Amino acid sequence: MQTRRVSEKSRLVTLLLALFVGIFGVHRFYAGRVASGILYLCTEGLFGIGVLVDIILIATGSFYDGHGLPILNWDETPKPIITTQSQPFPQRPQRVQTPQPTQKAQYQSNEPTIYCPECGSINDSETVYCSTCGLALRR
Ligand SMILES: [Zn+2]
């Protein structure tokens, strides 16, 4: 059993190349027929006759690529995409973050006041010594 293999080249691309730049043999270069492509390039597509014949052959699906496979598919056969696990980007050294001013404000809101055990006055949490009696509130 042998499945009929067809060229992976696009018939549409081949046809368009033959139509517009066929005299330079571009469609033959595209199809992988480099030798005849050069011949077309030198002879302006076999004096235009070769190009005309090629256009008919391509349109009727009788044009073959460099491997001898018929160019039949109008779309290019998608090649299997090999998904390689991409390497993670090298970690950049983290920038030393400058302390945010909001952190202090949050700290203050958590401990708003210090109660003085000596005189009973309420002091700001930032206060080291009691504003009333001068007791050391912090060690
Ligand atoms: Zn006090």
Side-chain angles (χ1 to χ4, degrees), residues 21-122:
V21 284
I23 57 165
F24 304 115
V26 178
H27 61 292
R28 286 187 172 259
F29 285 114
Y30 171 75
R33 295 166 73 168
V34 178
S36 61
I38 292 164
L39 182 70
Y40 271 51
L41 190 64
C42 297
T43 61
E44 292 191 342
L46 294 178
F47 313 106
I49 300 160
V51 179
L52 204 65
V53 172
D54 282 351
I55 289 166
I56 295 162
L57 289 174
I58 295 159
T60 56
S62 306
F63 196 74
Y64 294 85
D65 71 1
H67 303 287
L69 300 169
I71 298 169
L72 290 171
N73 294 326
W74 291 101
D75 293 317
E76 219 163 313
T77 308
K79 287 190 173 69
I81 300 157
I82 302 155
T83 49
T84 51
Q85 196 72 31
S86 58
Q87 289 283 328
F89 288 106
Q91 287 285 327
R92 283 186 185 178
Q94 289 285 326
R95 273 189 189 177
V96 179
Q97 286 220 332
T98 51
Q100 297 292 318
T102 51
Q103 286 177 332
K104 200 165 191 175
Q106 283 175 343
Y107 176 76
Q108 279 181 335
S109 65
N110 290 337
E111 272 186 79
T113 52
I114 293 174
Y115 182 75
C116 177
E118 186 67 26
C119 65
S121 70
I122 293 160

Side-chain angles (χ1 to χ4, degrees), residues 116 118-121 123 130 132-135:
C116 177
E118 186 67 26
C119 65
S121 70
N123 292 275
C130 178
T132 309
C133 68
L135 180 81

